[in-house]
C-alpha cells in the first residue's frame, strides 16, 4: 500500500499585520524586512481564533475537497508548536470540532512538524490498513511571540492547513521516500524556556519574558540551509529519483534567502520553488501544507507532478518527503 494525497485545505485569519504596522511597534523598516526575509505581511489570529479553530476550518475544507465525510477519517494527527492547551492534546479539540471519534495525537517537531506528521500518517495508514488519515499543521505563533522582539515578531504568522491521506495501491501516486532527523545538541537555538517541566512558569519567568519564543536567527539560518540540502538529498535517494525529476520544491517558508540558498545548492530553479511567505510569513508547522494547498488550488501542482517537501526548525529537527501528486 501507499499513501496518496486525496484532498487539501487551508485556513488563515482575516487580520493582516503588514511591515508598515510593524514599523509602528518595533525599530524596523519595510525595506529591512523585505530585503532580509522576503516577508511583506502575515496573518494574525483574532480574539476567538485559536490553533484548533483554524485547524478545524482547514480540516473541514480538506475533507470536503477529498469528497469524503468525517466518518471516513480513521486517524487524525495535528502538528503544532502552539497547542490549544498543555492538556489535552490539540487533536482532541480538533477531532471534536470535525465530529471525529477516531484516534488522534499531536506532533511537536517545530517547523519540521508537518513533514513528521506526513511520514507518521503515511506509515500508520499503510501498516494499519487505514482508509484515510487527516494530517493538519496549525499554528497561532502570534500568541508566543514577544511583540517587542524584532528578531522574531517580524517573521512569524498564524495559519492552518490540512491534507487527507488515502490508501492507494503500491504503483499509485503518493509518498515515495522520506528522511527525518534531529540534532538535539542545538535545542537552545530556538526555544521557549518556561512552561515545561524543566522550568515551570512562575511570576519570575513571566517577568523575564521566558514564555516567549527566543531564536538565534543567524545560526538557525546557517543550519537550516545545510539541513534542507542534506535531508532533501537523502529523501531523493530513498525515492530513487533525481533532482531534475522534481517538478515542485516546497520548502518550509522561513526566509526567502534560506529558500534561495537551498534551491541553488540543490540546483532547483526558483521557478520550480513555491514561495508564499511574502503574504503569510513563517507559519511553522502550517507553512508547507499552506503552500501546497495554495499551489494546488491555483492549479500549479497537477496530477503526476513530483513534489519535494523539506522542513526544519526547533530541535533542530528536519525532514523531507518526496511524493507523486494525485490519487489512485
Ligand atoms: O522557522 C524555523 C526556523 N527559523 C528560521 O529559519 C529563521 C532563520 N533566521 C532568519 O531568518 C534571520 O536570521 C532573521 C530574519 C531572523 C534575521 O536576519 P539576519 O539577516 O540574520 O539579521 P541579523 O540577526 O544578522 O542582524 C543584522 C542586523 C543587526 O544590526 P547590526 O548589528 O548589523 O547593526 C541587527 O540588529 O540587522 C539588525 N536587525 C534588524 N534591523 C531592522 C535585526 N532584526 C532587525 C529588524 N529590523 N527586524
Amino acid at each position: 500500500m501507499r499513501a496518496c494525497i486525496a484532498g487539501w485545505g487551508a485556513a488563515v485569519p482575516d487580520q493582516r499585520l503588514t511591515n508598515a504596522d510593524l514599523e509602528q511597534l518595533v525599530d524596523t523598516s519595510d525595506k529591512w524586512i523585505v530585503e532580509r526575509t522576503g516577508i511583506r505581511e502575515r496573518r494574525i489570529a483574532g480574539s476567538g481564533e485559536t490553533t484548533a479553530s483554524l485547524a478545524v476550518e482547514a480540516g473541514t475544507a480538506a475533507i470536503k475537497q477529498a469528497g469524503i465525510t468525517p466518518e471516513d477519517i480513521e486517524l487524525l494527527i495535528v502538528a503544532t508548536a502552539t497547542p490549544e492547551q498543555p492538556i489535552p492534546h490539540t487533536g482532541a479539540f480538533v477531532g471534536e470540532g470535525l465530529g471525529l471519534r477516531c484516534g488522534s495525537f499531536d506532533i511537536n517537531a517545530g517547523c519540521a512538524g508537518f513533514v513528521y506528521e506526513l511520514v507518521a500518517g503515511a506509515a500508520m495508514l499503510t501498516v494499519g490498513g487505514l482508509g484515510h488519515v487527516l494530517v493538519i499543521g496549525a499554528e497561532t505563533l502570534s500568541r508566543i511571540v514577544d511583540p517587542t522582539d524584532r528578531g522574531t515578531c517580524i517573521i512569524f504568522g498564524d495559519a492552518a492547513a490540512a491534507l487527507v491521506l488515502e490508501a492507494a495501491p503500491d504503483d499509485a501516486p503518493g509518498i515515495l521516500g522520506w528522511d527525518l532527523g534531529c540534532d538535539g545538541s542545538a535545542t537552545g537555538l530556538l526555544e521557549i524556556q518556561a512552561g515545561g517541566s524543566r522550568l515551570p512558569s512562575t511570576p519570575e519567568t513571566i517577568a523575564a519574558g521566558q514564555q516567549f519564543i527566543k531564536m538565534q536567527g543567524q545560526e538557525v539560518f546557517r543550519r537550516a540551509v545545510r539541513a534542507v540540502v542534506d535531508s532533501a538529498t537523502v529523501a531523493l535517494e530513498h525515492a530513487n529519483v533525481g533532482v531534475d525529476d522534481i517538478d515542485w520544491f516546497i520548502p518550509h517558508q522561513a526566509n526567502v534567502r534560506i529558500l534561495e540558498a537551498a534551491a541553488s545548492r540543490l540546483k532547483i530553479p526558483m521557478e520550480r520553488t513555491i514561495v508564499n511567505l511574502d503574504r503569510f510569513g513563517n507559519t511553522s508547522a502550517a507553512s508547507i501544507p499552506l503552500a501546497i494547498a495554495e499551489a494546488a488550488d491555483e492549479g500549479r501542482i497537477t496530477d503526476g507532478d513530483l513534489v519535494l517537501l523539506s522542513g526544519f526548525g526547533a530541535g533542530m529537527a528536519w525532514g523531507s518527503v518526496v511524493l507523486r501528486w494525485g490519487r489512485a
Side-chain angles (χ1 to χ4, degrees):
M1 274 172 77
R2 183 169 275 171
C4 73
I5 312 300
W8 59 89
V12 294
D14 289 335
Q15 196 179 323
R16 290 175 155 85
L17 181 69
T18 65
N19 292 350
D21 296 331
L22 283 165
E23 285 177 353
Q24 308 304 312
L25 301 172
V26 288
D27 180 14
T28 193
S29 66
D30 173 58
K31 185 172 181 294
W32 191 95
I33 300 173
V34 172
E35 282 179 6
R36 305 301 293 176
T37 71
I39 300 168
R40 293 181 185 277
E41 62 178 36
R42 16 11 239 128
R43 301 300 181 97
I44 302 296
S47 63
E49 277 178 317
T50 66
T51 294
S53 77
L54 292 170
V56 168
E57 202 182 323
T60 303
I63 289 170
K64 184 166 176 228
Q65 215 279 333
I68 60 170
T69 64
E71 293 72 47
D72 295 316
I73 301 294
E74 293 177 281
L75 177 71
L76 166 68
I77 313 178
V78 179
T80 184
T82 47
E84 193 76 354
Q85 297 178 181
I87 294 176
H89 65 294
T90 303
F93 294 98
V94 178
E96 177 63 12
L98 291 169
L100 308 182
R101 285 293 177 267
C102 62
S104 66
F105 62 93
D106 294 1
I107 285 183
N108 179 357
C111 302
F114 179 75
V115 175
Y116 272 72
E117 69 172 343
L118 190 54
V119 172
M124 291 180 76
L125 182 144
T126 49
V127 171
L130 305 180
H132 296 93
V133 173
L134 181 62
V135 293
I136 308 178
E139 302 284 9
T140 45
L141 294 157
S142 61
R143 306 254 154 93
I144 57 161
V145 160
D146 177 351
T148 66
D149 175 11
R150 68 178 182 173
T152 52
C153 74
I154 56 142
I155 62 173
F156 292 116
D158 302 337
L163 295 185
V164 173
L165 307 183
E166 185 172 67
D170 261 347
D171 57 352
I175 291 167
L176 307 179
W178 52 269
D179 170 66
L180 300 178
C182 182
D183 176 1
S185 70
T187 52
L189 292 181
L190 181 44
E191 63 177 343
I192 293 179
Q193 291 163 342
S197 70
R198 185 178 277 206
L199 184 61
S201 288
T202 62
E204 289 74 30
T205 66
I206 305 263
Q210 289 171 299
Q211 71 278 29
F212 292 129
I213 195 162
K214 302 266 189 304
M215 181 173 70
Q216 294 179 34
Q218 263 186 15
E219 182 59 16
V220 172
F221 187 116
R222 204 176 61 77
R223 288 169 178 253
V225 176
R226 203 170 58 210
V228 168
V229 173
D230 292 350
S231 176
T233 304
V234 173
L236 289 165
E237 275 167 25
H238 287 177
N240 201 21
V241 297
V243 75
D244 293 341
D245 301 322
I246 294 297
D247 296 293
W248 294 109
F249 176 39
I250 311 186
H252 165 49
Q253 306 285 305
N255 181 323
V256 76
R257 292 187 294 131
I258 296 178
L259 275 58
E260 285 168 352
S264 156
R265 289 184 200 183
L266 285 165
K267 301 199 171 24
I268 299 176
M270 285 308 283
E271 302 78 64
R272 287 197 272 129
T273 302
I274 304 277
V275 181
N276 72 356
L277 56 73
D278 51 319
R279 286 165 294 121
F280 301 110
N282 178 341
T283 59
S284 193
S287 95
I288 292 176
L290 181 63
I292 293 175
E294 207 183 36
D297 280 340
E298 289 167 356
R300 296 176 78 188
I301 308 178
T302 53
D303 285 357
D305 282 355
L306 203 53
V307 181
L308 170 64
L309 315 175
S310 197
F312 57 88
M316 301 285 296
W318 61 83
S320 301
V321 162
V322 175
L323 63 89
R324 175 90 56 197
W325 192 257
R327 227 164 160 171

